[in-house]
Amino acid sequence: MAREDDIDTGTWIGGAGGPGETMRVRKCRLEVTAGPDTGLAAVVAAPAIVIGRGAGDLVLGDRKVSALHAEIRLEPAGYHLRDLGSTNGTFVKGMRVMEAFIEPGTVIGVGDSAVRFSPLPDTIEFPLWNDSRLCGLLGRSPVMRRLFEAIDRIAASDTTVLVTGETGTGKDLVAEAIHERSPRAGRPFIVLDCGAVPSQLFEDQLFGHEAGAFTGAIRSVPGVFEAAHGGTLLLDEIGELPLEIQPKLLRAVETHRIRRIGGTRTADCDVRLIVATNRDLPAEVNRKSFRADLFFRIMVAHLDVPPLRERREDIEILVKHFLGEISPGQAPPLPDGFMDWALLYAWPGNVRELRNAVERAVVTRSLPSSLQESVAASAGTGRSGVDLSVPFKEAKRRLVDEFERQYVTALMEAHDWNIASAARAADVDRMSIYKMLQRLDIRRSGGSS
């Protein structure tokens, strides 16, 4: 178990197994050692630390620093530095980096400034939810129980919430849980999928229109703000919102008042707003495709839903839950080896893909093609897949190679052999994927890798 003096560890679980289980997060000091803000320092106690000019945990006056420039995530494996699509880049030891794990004492270059990152012995504790379920969400992993606790705490307020996460992680269920745990639970919960609205209809969908406002408007129609009055409004995939509509949304969020298209009267809208996206909004802000003022207004509270590959301990209970939905009362059997495969697979489609895989396995009573190949490859080596006729080191090397071959092949197939996309999903650099493809001679069927 990690300790306070293990400075290389960013977060860990304290009081494991007990009712007072917590996630401990290390305090970190950021000190500007060069640039216009030399001498400026901040001590931050949060799982994610943002450096920027417009906002963040360390706010710089350096004009070459982007509004949201770089982020440091504290993880059990260490400190994960990520450039947020900045204009001038993030540098470590003179090299521009997009993502990297950094050591304590690393000096980070942003704009004309240098920032020294120093983890401290002191920590703070974040409580974890005591159950593996919250409303429609399931998970016993620490990251999910930390999310459950944050949902329950945030739900009690009326603050705007930004929910981020990859496609298929369950952002809509997080929004529903916030609504169900809030004082507005008995009022409307309205969802607008911004990714499904034609650009010319956004304003109408949001604010509605009066009769005669445009050709074909034969009657007055309310928008989603009015429909959600007294309750909660979820704007899903907010990153798809056209730039010209964003200031109108900002005005509605700030004033709690809207006016229909073609109307002269403003109406009060008592709405709790939740927005969700799978896009990298800080990068969109830096590219000026998403307004910075709207971003800061919607990010009053931020919940990030982890991908399934970062919470593999939840796969078993999710599979059991999906089996119960498919066949209530008595769970149907899965093909032999399914669970072992599921625990190794990268799940680029996250929980949604897992549910589809479970349903397909039950209906077809067969294994996914990548799993069938791995079962056939291990036939004849014994139930454990271990060959006792070779020395330990050679047996270990063969097992590791076979695991890497299965994992990388399934990963590349899931991402249509796009190395950059596969590397992001597996949380490794592209060169690592490339080297494994070469070393294991993994090639795309009918062509080269």
Side-chain angles (χ1 to χ4, degrees), residues 81-287:
L81 172 67
R82 182 171 71 97
D83 182 84
L84 297 176
S86 67
T87 301
N88 295 311
T90 301
F91 295 81
V92 174
K93 296 181 179 179
M95 296 182 63
R96 184 166 184 167
V97 298
M98 295 304 295
E99 293 188 56
F101 277 95
I102 58 175
E103 299 176 347
T106 295
V107 176
I108 305 165
V110 290
D112 287 330
S113 302
V115 179
R116 178 180 288 113
F117 171 73
S118 302
L120 303 175
D122 296 336
T123 63
I124 61 170
E125 293 185 340
F126 290 96
L128 301 181
W129 195 247
N130 286 328
D131 195 1
S132 60
R133 180 187 291 271
L134 178 67
C135 301
L137 294 160
L138 279 174
R140 61 189 176 199
S141 61
V143 289
M144 285 303 289
R145 290 189 292 125
R146 167 68 186 135
L147 176 65
F148 295 169
E149 191 281 330
I151 289 171
D152 189 61
R153 174 170 43 81
I154 289 171
S157 70
D158 249 357
T159 189
T160 302
V161 184
L162 171 63
V163 183
T164 58
E166 297 177 7
T167 298
T169 51
K171 298 184 293 295
D172 53 339
L173 294 179
V174 170
E176 288 183 36
I178 294 172
H179 176 71
E180 290 177 23
R181 302 290 294 186
S182 77
R184 297 174 179 264
R187 307 304 298 274
F189 177 73
I190 305 296
V191 179
L192 177 65
D193 182 358
C194 297
V197 179
S199 58
Q200 67 272 21
L201 297 181
F202 264 106
E203 187 173 359
D204 187 22
Q205 290 287 307
L206 288 170
F207 310 124
H209 64 263
E210 298 289 3
F214 48 82
T215 303
I218 59 176
R219 59 186 178 86
S220 297
V221 176
V224 291
F225 268 89
E226 287 185 83
H229 183 71
T232 302
L233 172 61
L234 168 62
L235 298 182
D236 200 8
E237 299 307 336
I238 187 71
E240 304 295 331
L241 193 67
L243 199 57
E244 64 271 16
I245 301 297
Q246 293 177 23
K248 298 178 181 181
L249 174 61
L250 176 62
R251 189 178 308 114
V253 174
E254 290 184 331
T255 64
H256 298 283
R257 297 177 67 83
I258 62 97
R259 185 168 61 189
R260 295 179 182 176
I261 298 173
T264 58
R265 181 182 62 87
T266 59
D268 292 331
C269 287
D270 174 22
V271 170
R272 202 272 177 76
L273 182 66
I274 303 174
V275 299
T277 184
N278 62 8
R279 287 197 179 190
D280 188 347
L281 283 190
E284 301 287 337
V285 170
N286 289 331
R287 285 194 290 265

Side-chain angles (χ1 to χ4, degrees), residues 219-370:
R219 59 186 178 86
S220 297
V221 176
V224 291
F225 268 89
E226 287 185 83
H229 183 71
T232 302
L233 172 61
L234 168 62
L235 298 182
D236 200 8
E237 299 307 336
I238 187 71
E240 304 295 331
L241 193 67
L243 199 57
E244 64 271 16
I245 301 297
Q246 293 177 23
K248 298 178 181 181
L249 174 61
L250 176 62
R251 189 178 308 114
V253 174
E254 290 184 331
T255 64
H256 298 283
R257 297 177 67 83
I258 62 97
R259 185 168 61 189
R260 295 179 182 176
I261 298 173
T264 58
R265 181 182 62 87
T266 59
D268 292 331
C269 287
D270 174 22
V271 170
R272 202 272 177 76
L273 182 66
I274 303 174
V275 299
T277 184
N278 62 8
R279 287 197 179 190
D280 188 347
L281 283 190
E284 301 287 337
V285 170
N286 289 331
R287 285 194 290 265
K288 301 190 184 305
S289 58
F290 198 88
R291 291 177 61 105
D293 51 2
L294 178 58
F295 173 78
F296 296 134
R297 184 62 186 82
I298 62 178
M299 198 177 172
V300 180
H302 178 209
L303 296 174
D304 188 51
V305 188
L308 189 55
R309 64 182 176 275
E310 293 181 4
R311 55 182 190 107
R312 294 182 185 275
E313 56 263 64
D314 293 335
I315 290 176
E316 185 176 354
I317 61 172
L318 286 168
V319 169
K320 290 180 179 179
H321 173 72
F322 295 144
L323 289 173
E325 286 187 333
I326 294 168
S327 179
Q330 183 174 0
L334 286 168
D336 291 341
F338 180 90
M339 190 61 70
D340 291 336
W341 168 79
L343 291 170
L344 294 176
Y345 183 57
W347 297 111
N350 292 293
V351 180
R352 184 183 296 126
E353 184 184 6
L354 174 62
R355 193 199 190 287
N356 292 340
V358 171
E359 186 171 3
R360 186 166 57 248
V362 169
V363 171
T364 65
R365 297 186 180 277
S366 63
L367 304 173
S369 58
S370 59

Side-chain angles (χ1 to χ4, degrees), residues 309 312 341 343-347 370 374 400-414 422-423 425-428 433 436 440 442:
R309 64 182 176 275
R312 294 182 185 275
W341 168 79
L343 291 170
L344 294 176
Y345 183 57
W347 297 111
S370 59
S374 67
V400 171
D401 284 353
E402 183 58 30
F403 162 73
E404 289 184 350
R405 181 175 288 105
Q406 294 172 26
Y407 183 94
V408 174
T409 300
L411 179 70
M412 295 302 293
E413 288 176 351
D427 196 21
V428 298
I433 297 289
M436 283 189 283
L440 300 170
I442 300 173

